[in-house]
Amino acid sequence: MTKFLKTKIRIGVFLLFLISIYSNTKAQKSNDISVSFYPVFNNSIINFNQSAFYKTEINDSIQFNLLRFYISGIQLLNDHKVVWEEESSFHLIDANENLLSFLIHPSINISYTQIKFNLGIDSITNVSGAMGGELDPTKGMYWTWQNGYINFKLEGKCNQCPTRNNEFEFHIGGYQFPYNSIQTISLMVEPLKNIDIDIDLKKLFESIDLLNTNNIVSPSKEAILFSNKIASVFSNREK
Amino acid sequence: MTKLFLLLIGICFTISGFAIFIGNIFYVPENWPQPVYDFSKNPLTYEKVELGRALFYDPLLSKGNSISCNSCHSQFTAFAHVDHALSHGIDNLIGTRNAPALMNLAWQKSFMWDGAINHLDMQPLAPIANEKEMASNIDSVVKKLQRTKLYPTLFLKAFGDSIITGEHTLKAISQFMLTLISNNSKYDSVMRKQATFTQQEKKGYKLFKINCSGCHLEPLFTNQQFENNGLYVDATLNDIGRMKITLAPNDSLKFKVPSLRNIEFSYPYMHDGRFKKLSDVLNHYTSGIYQSKTLSKKLETPILLSSNDKVDIISFLLTLTDRNFLFKTDYSFPKELLLKQ
């Protein structure tokens, strides 16, 4: 073995060493921040599997059986500028399966004051064909008679509903103009702290007349109005 | 050594660049536009196409394993549903429209008569879930596939994973459907200067170009737009067409312009299969147009054709029959896979 070759190997080993250190530090340079959702009614957390009753504003009983929705396109902002974006950012939240939180991994050395995310799936993803993971159509969040993801599902019962078994059913979606129902939500947050978000369904149902609005299952004006209302009941959870 | 390595990399890149054109699974015929389908997200391989073909012919996709995609899309009719105005699905339940022919789908921008479906991958979800068609759902199809002896192995070969997902199932079915290219009719041979039209076909082609090609644009024989072609509304169906999807009154009574390739075998015609013969269709365009607000601009001036003209046009339309497509064994029931089970 020539001297020259030996030096070459040494340099090579050293370079590999440097790379391994670099990739290790790179892996460590992010935080695990949890983002959690709390569906609440009158400040108590809703149980979706035990058909508990809650009292509405007019003292009627209301019951919730299903809540499932997509969160996508998560960004952290500082002074209205995006400082971090999650890659392939799609999360399915399913209250019945108790899947109400996920982790994000922003870089360690950024400061931010705000989180921004979409409630629902963007239009480009909606026209991109079959996808896997959280976006797999087997998740039951995809319409079949007409294409498109269902952004938000909420089902339950209330005596006010003049429907079969007094059920209400909201399957909110639609990605095509003018019935694009995706909503953007932004909330103030503190760096390095876990993010806890309330979804106040009491507030939501105060803004809905269940007598007339109890079944929305396709892209429409009503779906957009409803999605606006849902977005407005997301807020920071009081600590 | 380094040179050899670079050469190998070069070869790999070249092969991957042309992967979709390997063998005869997929090709873009001369003078055709580029396909709409994004192959980069679902590169074709023999294993995936074969898996898709098995799924296409397997009744497992329906409730009670009773009907398959092939039940309403048979090869010998260009994958249409022959003989039935409105296609029937599970338990002989009758749907509201005529199942369209399946061919040249890589070039198709939207699917269904009303364009309800925006992507080929997502198309199978509709018939799988429709209660009058296969009355199942993709989730239970995936679970059923996973329990078979055959499919985990086929998915492993195709996708490198024996865990079956909705994504892989749909992508495999797309792969098979993408291979259904029809470009070997007499018309195509004439265009390639390998054959000649008879005098009558030539006359028919000339009349076709004057009267029909505004919507039935060559070489796909559709402009892929939604048009109201002046059919009176069938009160038993009250089908508003495209408006059901867009909710826009402008789209009332509009349906997608279908391709005319293999039209000889894809009868009956129109979204509700109301015409059994090509002569009925031509008579509709000359003397049956129902006036309404959204009638296609192209039909505002009446189409004038003598009965001889009509016969000539039909003789041209018959040159769009592609026997190679209708009988190609690559597209037929995969005995070697499905009969072994």
Side-chain angles (χ1 to χ4, degrees):
Chain A
M1 207 186 264
T2 63
K3 211 175 179 183
F4 182 61
L5 196 60
K6 270 187 188 166
T7 333
K8 245 186 165 178
I9 290 172
R10 272 187 203 141
I11 291 173
V13 169
F14 183 64
L15 278 176
L16 275 177
F17 175 67
L18 280 184
I19 289 169
S20 71
I21 289 183
Y22 176 74
S23 51
N24 264 334
T25 45
K26 208 180 164 194
Q28 283 162 6
K29 272 191 178 169
S30 68
N31 291 303
D32 291 347
I33 308 271
S34 80
V35 179
S36 311
F37 295 89
Y38 298 85
V40 294
F41 205 98
N42 267 344
N43 298 324
S44 56
I45 294 175
I46 299 170
N47 189 323
F48 284 84
N49 292 325
Q50 284 182 354
S51 329
F53 286 100
Y54 302 88
K55 285 283 175 197
T56 67
E57 211 185 2
I58 57 162
N59 217 22
D60 199 0
S61 299
I62 191 166
Q63 217 179 357
F64 300 98
N65 303 326
L66 185 142
L67 173 70
R68 207 187 278 166
F69 57 89
Y70 276 116
I71 295 294
S72 71
I74 298 172
Q75 296 179 327
L76 294 173
L77 296 92
N78 197 6
D79 200 15
H80 303 289
K81 280 188 208 113
V82 178
V83 291
W84 179 81
E85 262 178 306
E86 189 181 35
E87 275 175 48
S88 55
S89 180
F90 300 101
H91 303 275
L92 181 59
I93 301 298
D94 188 331
N96 299 68
E97 297 290 327
N98 214 16
L99 298 169
L100 289 159
S101 67
F102 52 84
L103 293 175
I104 55 172
H105 314 282
S107 351
I108 200 157
N109 48 7
I110 54 162
S111 66
Y112 54 88
T113 55
Q114 203 183 358
I115 186 172
K116 207 170 174 181
F117 54 83
N118 297 323
L119 178 61
I121 303 295
D122 63 282
S123 55
I124 291 175
T125 308
N126 261 296
V127 296
S128 300
M131 276 178 271
E134 304 273 63
L135 295 173
D136 197 296
T138 51
K139 301 277 178 192
M141 291 295 275
Y142 198 87
W143 273 312
T144 56
W145 59 279
Q146 171 181 14
N147 271 172
Y149 283 95
I150 302 168
N151 293 332
F152 181 93
K153 267 188 183 179
L154 177 63
E155 296 174 13
K157 275 183 186 186
C158 182
N159 283 336
Q160 260 185 295
C161 298
T163 51
R164 188 173 162 268
N165 297 332
N166 306 113
E167 287 164 348
F168 58 83
E169 190 173 60
F170 300 107
H171 294 181
I172 307 300
Y175 65 92
Q176 264 171 320
F177 181 81
Y179 302 115
N180 191 342
S181 70
I182 191 171
Q183 296 289 333
T184 306
I185 294 171
S186 59
L187 297 168
M188 302 310 283
V189 289
E190 283 177 62
L192 302 178
K193 293 217 169 134
N194 289 336
I195 299 168
D196 294 329
I197 300 168
D198 273 353
I199 306 168
D200 189 343
L201 292 190
K202 180 161 190 267
K203 215 164 140 194
L204 176 69
F205 281 88
E206 279 168 11
S207 67
I208 293 165
D209 173 18
L210 276 175
L211 193 65
N212 298 307
T213 307
N214 42 52
N215 189 283
I216 306 176
V217 291
S218 62
S220 58
K221 255 187 222 161
E222 293 74 41
I224 293 177
L225 265 173
F226 196 90
S227 68
N228 269 314
K229 286 176 181 168
I230 307 163
S232 72
V233 303
F234 279 64
S235 65
N236 289 97
R237 185 167 178 76
E238 281 185 31
K239 311 230 160 162
Chain B
M1 186 68 186
T2 329
K3 269 186 191 165
L4 188 67
F5 186 57
L6 281 177
L7 189 70
L8 272 174
I9 289 183
I11 291 170
C12 289
F13 268 106
T14 320
I15 291 174
S16 65
F18 292 102
I20 63 169
F21 302 111
I22 286 181
N24 292 322
I25 348 180
F26 190 84
Y27 52 91
V28 178
E30 213 181 318
N31 297 326
W32 279 34
Q34 279 308 303
V36 175
Y37 192 86
D38 183 356
F39 287 91
S40 71
K41 290 196 180 122
N42 189 17
L44 296 189
T45 66
Y46 283 114
E47 291 77 13
K48 290 180 192 168
V49 170
E50 279 304 286
L51 168 60
R53 182 174 162 213
L55 292 166
F56 186 87
Y57 282 95
D58 201 327
L60 180 145
L61 268 63
S62 65
K63 182 181 160 194
N65 300 354
S66 52
I67 61 169
S68 70
C69 306
N70 170 62
S71 305
C72 289
H73 298 283
S74 328
Q75 184 182 3
F76 68 97
T77 63
F79 295 97
H81 198 183
V82 76
D83 255 4
H84 296 277
L86 303 174
S87 297
H88 59 79
I90 202 151
D91 299 333
N92 293 321
L93 289 170
I94 293 172
T96 57
R97 289 180 185 155
N98 181 260
L102 306 182
M103 61 197 155
N104 303 331
L105 297 170
W107 286 267
Q108 201 165 306
K109 292 177 186 154
S110 66
F111 304 85
M112 299 292 202
W113 282 103
D114 54 14
I117 310 292
N118 64 32
H119 197 288
L120 183 62
D121 293 355
M122 300 325 226
Q123 168 63 38
L125 291 173
I128 287 172
N130 189 306
E131 287 183 9
K132 288 179 173 176
E133 295 179 49
M134 301 171 103
S136 182
N137 64 71
I138 186 71
D139 191 31
S140 77
V141 167
V142 165
K143 285 179 182 141
K144 268 157 83 182
L145 290 170
Q146 193 74 63
R147 285 197 299 264
T148 60
K149 222 173 164 185
L150 174 71
Y151 284 105
T153 328
L154 291 185
F155 274 83
L156 179 66
K157 270 194 215 156
F159 292 98
D161 194 344
S162 59
I163 301 291
I164 298 170
T165 65
E167 180 193 13
H168 288 167
T169 306
L170 295 171
K171 282 188 164 165
I173 303 176
S174 276
Q175 294 236 343
F176 172 65
M177 293 195 290
L178 286 164
T179 65
L180 306 177
I181 303 174
S182 177
N183 79 314
N184 285 308
S185 62
K186 177 171 182 186
Y187 160 83
D188 295 297
S189 303
V190 173
M191 293 300 124
R192 289 194 289 257
K193 302 199 163 52
Q194 294 159 344
T196 48
F197 282 139
T198 64
Q199 278 305 313
Q200 194 181 31
E201 289 163 356
K202 206 184 253 176
K203 268 196 240 163
Y205 183 39
K206 216 171 154 188
L207 288 164
F208 174 85
K209 283 206 279 194
I210 296 166
N211 295 294
C212 319
S213 66
C215 290
H216 297 287
L217 198 68
E218 297 168 71
L220 295 165
F221 287 87
T222 166
N223 60 2
Q224 307 213 34
Q225 302 294 308
F226 299 90
E227 303 276 3
N228 171 352
N229 65 340
L231 297 168
Y232 72 88
V233 181
D234 182 334
T236 64
L237 296 168
N238 278 323
D239 194 341
I240 53 169
R242 179 74 176 151
M243 186 182 160
K244 190 182 165 205
I245 304 306
T246 63
L247 309 180
N250 260 347
D251 287 329
S252 171
L253 306 180
K254 290 185 183 174
F255 293 89
K256 196 168 61 203
V257 175
S259 172
L260 303 183
R261 286 179 172 273
N262 298 300
I263 193 130
E264 179 182 3
F265 289 96
S266 60
Y267 59 90
Y269 307 111
M270 304 298 149
H271 64 274
D272 53 8
R274 67 178 68 185
F275 299 133
K276 287 200 171 76
K277 292 187 217 137
L278 284 172
S279 56
D280 298 339
V281 175
L282 290 180
N283 291 338
H284 162 73
Y285 283 117
T286 53
S287 52
I289 296 291
Y290 168 81
Q291 299 289 330
S292 64
K293 271 187 196 162
T294 56
L295 179 68
S296 172
K297 290 241 159 17
K298 292 164 189 122
L299 294 172
E300 276 173 358
T301 33
I303 292 179
L304 301 171
L305 297 169
S306 68
S307 42
N308 278 344
D309 290 345
K310 288 178 191 171
V311 176
D312 292 346
I313 289 184
I314 290 172
S315 79
F316 165 69
L317 291 177
L318 300 186
T319 71
L320 297 176
T321 296
D322 178 352
R323 286 181 191 278
N324 180 47
F325 177 79
L326 300 173
F327 299 103
K328 193 169 176 170
T329 48
D330 292 357
Y331 301 156
S332 57
F333 182 81
K335 291 180 248 156
E336 58 290 352
L337 286 176
L338 294 187
L339 289 185
K340 255 201 267 169
Q341 283 186 87

